Amino acid sequence: MLFLNSTPRKNLGRIRRNRNPVWFPVLTVLATGFGGCNFINLAPIGFSSYPETENTILPGAQSSLVVRFDTAMDKGETQKALSVSFAGGTVSGDLAWQGDDLFFTPLEFWLPGVRYTLNLAGTIYALDGRESRVVHHVPFYALTRETAPYGLSFSPPDGASVGVDPLGDAFIRVVFSQPMDRQSTADAFSLDGVSKREFRWSEDDMVMEVYPLDKLNPWTLYHWTLRNKARGRSGVPLGKEIGGTFITDADRLLPAVSEVYPLVKGGADSGLRWIRTGAPMEDGFGSGQAIGVEFNKPMDESILRNIRFEPSLTGRAEMWTPLVMVFIPGRDPEPERIYTMYISGNSTDTGGLKMEKEFSLSFIAGIPYLTVLSLDAGQGPQDAEQNGIYPARTILPEGIVTVTLRFSYKLALQAQADAVLALSMEPYFPRTLRPVSLRSARWWSADTLIIQWEGIEPGSGTEEHYYRLSLPGGRGAIEDGKGSYLKEDLFFFFRGDL
């Protein structure tokens, strides 16, 4: 007769399906042979673990955990029941058998001060057919059981509005519960979109401040994180990951042009300081002047590249003050010509905010053309008209004619000399007339020139003699030295008379 005092896996199902409970847990069956009695082991599967007691402290950074069984096990199935966990998830490791002992070795070092748990939970199977349902949890530490550091507070508060300048409020400050390891904490810190930053420590390394080295982008949401790979000075990692967000929208005033005006050099330190002329820009921009463009807030110096004119007006731009840009023309604008100044809408203030749209302003240079108001060739002053014919009193025998020209504006000294050299008198009709020569020239006043030629031949009753006085116009010809010049070449005809 065979006595069953164990529960093999292949018979356990039959026993559980037996409708008569009186036959369980002991069942007597007839054996086919009566030569002896065999016993089947019904004892549970025995095991122990290392660590065995709660809160054991492992001695090494990569110490192995062990589960020892008292019988040969189904290794593949048994390994499924073993795991190691901590607050941050599960620990990856290598599993290896030495006899009936199952070893777990972490792939990365154990973190000091972290509370881990060895878990053996589920159904395990012995090779002799037995199976056991087990629930075994053992908390433990590695190297030390010191308290993990954590963040006491941080700023800016989560979701706060800040500026863009790290020297203002655009930096992160974290206060810890205990001194931190600087390098691991810096390595564990991240700020979206910002790679260049400076870490500053204080309060015995319990306060960390992170300063971006460049200004942040305006109206942008930033997220920062300090992962739990940051460690305290004792080596214990941060107990919990911390982080927050902030948005750089504290400044909501868009930059804009507030005023444009003409500037002139003057003051006690003449030549070194710009002074407003007081004239309107639209029609008061004069010779030798600059253009002041004032904004409603300090502008980035990139604004200097964002100004242009149509038609083209060459020159250079400088920052006079943080609020005012000065454009200094390389030469005077064309007299009485309409210009349009444009400032790009991509121009930014010192905080990075862009102008809402392109700015434009049309103005006419307040520089009139120089003209000849009147002339007198010995017959009295007359209005000067282009291609006009004027009688010229001729003094014989030298054939001297004196012409007085009055200009619309006073000419500077150098401009007076240049004007005398630029104008000319030549025979016009008939072609047989002899050339004339300049006899003298003098300025009666800054706007009145008296000039004499000799060699003029007066006409007769049967033939009139004509001479042409030419005054070249355009920039670089006859000008007043203050921006005004003759718009075009002027021609006056003189008829030689006695």
Side-chain angles (χ1 to χ4, degrees), residues 361-412:
L361 174 68
S362 294
F363 62 94
I364 185 169
I367 305 173
Y369 282 109
L370 181 66
T371 61
V372 177
L373 296 179
S374 66
L375 55 83
D376 182 358
Q379 304 294 340
Q382 299 181 58
D383 293 340
E385 295 182 4
Q386 174 75 303
N387 297 321
I389 301 175
Y390 303 89
R393 182 185 178 197
T394 306
I395 301 175
L396 297 177
E398 294 90 346
I400 298 173
V401 169
T402 302
V403 177
T404 302
L405 300 175
R406 188 165 69 88
F407 291 90
S408 57
Y409 297 102
K410 296 179 179 181
L411 276 67

Side-chain angles (χ1 to χ4, degrees), residues 65-89:
L65 310 180
V66 187
V67 180
R68 297 184 173 89
F69 297 94
D70 62 358
T71 185
M73 302 296 292
D74 182 330
K75 295 180 179 179
E77 293 296 323
T78 302
Q79 289 176 187
K80 295 178 182 179
L82 179 64
S83 66
V84 180
S85 61
F86 70 116

Side-chain angles (χ1 to χ4, degrees), residues 152-157 169-176 189 200 202-203 206-211 224 242 246:
L152 292 175
S153 64
F154 62 80
S155 63
D169 56 359
F171 68 93
I172 295 93
R173 186 175 191 270
V174 182
V175 180
F176 298 96
F189 179 87
R200 300 179 188 177
S202 59
E203 302 294 332
M206 292 177 64
V207 176
M208 176 186 73
E209 294 178 341
V210 185
Y211 291 83
W224 65 271
I242 58 176
F246 58 87

Side-chain angles (χ1 to χ4, degrees), residues 8 89 102 119 163 166 190 233 237 244 251 263 319 324 356 431 446 450:
L102 176 58
N119 305 293
S190 64
R233 189 180 293 171
D251 182 5
L263 296 170
M319 293 305 297
V324 180
E356 188 173 13
R431 297 295 183 182
I450 301 175

Side-chain angles (χ1 to χ4, degrees), residues 370 405-413 415-417 419 442-449 479-480 482:
L370 181 66
L405 300 175
R406 188 165 69 88
F407 291 90
S408 57
Y409 297 102
K410 296 179 179 181
L411 276 67
L413 290 177
Q416 293 174 16
R442 66 187 180 93
W443 287 86
W444 178 258
S445 63
D447 61 356
T448 304
L449 172 64
E479 56 185 1
D480 67 353
K482 295 173 285 187

Side-chain angles (χ1 to χ4, degrees), residues 2-73:
L2 178 66
F3 295 94
L4 299 180
N5 58 0
S6 63
T7 310
R9 293 174 61 188
K10 63 183 179 179
N11 294 327
L12 184 59
R14 296 196 190 111
I15 295 173
R16 289 177 177 172
R17 288 193 297 269
N18 196 313
R19 296 181 179 179
N20 192 346
V22 299
W23 300 103
F24 186 81
V26 179
L27 173 67
T28 304
V29 298
L30 295 176
T32 55
F34 297 91
C37 295
N38 293 327
F39 295 91
I40 297 177
N41 186 10
L42 294 177
I45 299 171
F47 67 90
S48 62
S49 67
Y50 174 78
E52 184 175 4
T53 59
E54 291 189 2
N55 300 327
T56 296
I57 299 175
L58 302 184
Q62 218 168 7
S63 296
S64 297
L65 310 180
V66 187
V67 180
R68 297 184 173 89
F69 297 94
D70 62 358
T71 185
M73 302 296 292

